[in-house]
Amino acid sequence: MNQSTFKQLKASARKSLIGHYGIVIAALLVTQLLLFLIDIPFNRMIREGAEYLIFPRILLGGAGTFFVSLLSVLLSAGLVRIHLMIARGQTPGFSEILYPFRNRPDRYIWFGICIFAVLFIAVLPGSAVLGISSAQSGTASSAFSMLTVVGILLLIAGIIIALIVMLGWALTVFLLLDDNNLSLKEAIRRSRHSMKNSKWRLFKLYLSFIGWYLLSALSLFIGLLWIIPYISQTMVWFYMDLVPENAEQSVSGS
């Protein structure tokens, strides 16, 4: 099967977004603003708890921030739902943001937990070694220096492993949105199967947008309101190009 080039994927994304930028930008703004406002009190708890050494406050703030992260997973899936509908020639309503909340939200929540678990496990060894090295910083010895090097190498290795896992799981949310009867385990399995020989291709596609991020800095990052939907729409086309049997699928109603 001949896969589309990056140029073709991006062209399809730009074409499908014509006439739909209003809803995708509004949806992005509302979700990010909502998450920011909800997270304010929890961030304050963590800061105050750390400043005055009030550990219950730190724990409560951390739990709240974790809740906001899971909420972010659901809202992000809602944004993907909107982009999928646009790519398939449908006109999504603003309420589609809440689609994952109404259709087996547990799958998206557990997926978010799986992602956090992978990231935590990946950085734990390196972070632990660097923590030990920092605790021994008063002793200027070769052992301290070696611990620091080992910690950094472990951290880099962990990040690379986590990145490979995330690239393998990249299609999971799309698959869950396309089939409400699909279990999370099966969605991850299918994603890994589809991405088996496409991880490097997807990684290069992500890298191809670096210039756009740098360009957005010239507009004080206001340009991200257009760039992020453009990237998201391109990822939808990457999914439909890689899983052609789902390309023309009609998005099911709630």
Side-chain angles (χ1 to χ4, degrees):
M1 180 185 66
N2 294 325
Q3 295 179 331
S4 301
T5 64
F6 291 172
K7 183 177 180 180
Q8 291 171 327
L9 293 176
K10 292 177 179 180
S12 296
R14 290 193 299 270
K15 183 178 180 180
S16 60
L17 280 173
I18 295 175
H20 296 288
Y21 264 109
I23 187 170
V24 292
I25 291 176
L28 180 62
L29 276 174
V30 169
T31 54
Q32 295 307 305
L33 181 60
L34 179 63
L35 292 170
F36 173 76
L37 292 176
I38 294 176
D39 200 36
I40 287 177
F42 300 123
N43 271 325
R44 183 176 179 180
M45 287 181 191
I46 294 174
R47 289 197 306 270
E48 291 179 351
E51 182 178 357
Y52 299 105
L53 298 179
I54 307 175
F55 294 107
R57 197 166 182 81
I58 295 175
L59 291 175
L60 183 59
T65 298
F66 182 69
F67 164 77
V68 174
S69 298
L70 294 180
L71 181 61
S72 174
V73 171
L74 287 166
L75 291 173
S76 295
L79 289 173
V80 173
R81 159 85 173 181
I82 289 176
H83 284 283
L84 270 172
M85 294 182 70
I86 290 173
R88 289 166 176 160
Q90 299 173 311
T91 302
F94 196 81
S95 62
E96 297 299 334
I97 294 178
L98 301 178
Y99 179 85
F101 291 84
R102 302 189 300 261
N103 294 271
R104 298 188 62 187
D106 57 295
R107 299 180 301 162
Y108 304 98
I109 292 173
W110 278 112
F111 183 53
I113 292 174
C114 287
I115 291 175
F116 298 142
V118 168
L119 293 175
F120 177 76
I121 294 171
V123 303
L124 182 59
S127 299
V129 173
L130 286 175
I132 295 172
S133 175
S134 177
Q136 296 180 357
S137 59
T139 60
S141 64
S142 58
F144 160 66
S145 300
M146 183 58 68
L147 275 177
T148 302
V149 172
V150 171
I152 293 174
L153 290 177
L154 284 174
L155 198 58
I156 293 174
I159 291 173
I160 292 174
I161 291 172
L163 177 61
I164 293 173
V165 173
M166 293 300 102
L167 289 172
W169 292 1
L171 307 183
T172 303
V173 170
F174 298 103
L175 292 166
L176 291 176
L177 287 168
D178 272 342
D179 187 351
N180 286 331
N181 296 317
L182 192 66
S183 69
L184 173 58
K185 182 179 180 180
E186 178 62 16
I188 291 176
R189 188 196 67 79
R190 291 186 187 180
S191 178
R192 291 178 59 192
H193 175 75
S194 297
M195 291 296 298
K196 186 175 182 180
N197 298 313
S198 298
K199 296 185 187 71
W200 178 239
R201 180 169 177 255
L202 178 57
F203 184 65
K204 289 192 294 183
L205 180 57
Y206 280 125
L207 290 180
S208 71
F209 289 106
I210 288 180
W212 284 104
Y213 280 110
L214 296 176
L215 188 62
S216 71
L218 300 177
S219 63
L220 300 178
F221 298 102
I222 295 176
L224 287 177
L225 291 176
W226 286 266
I227 294 171
I228 291 177
Y230 172 41
I231 295 173
S232 298
Q233 196 67 34
T234 303
M235 294 307 159
V236 167
W237 282 97
F238 174 88
Y239 160 67
M240 295 196 301
D241 184 60
L242 194 61
V243 190
E245 60 267 28
N246 287 2
E248 300 300 326
Q249 180 169 320
S250 176
V251 180
S252 59
S254 59

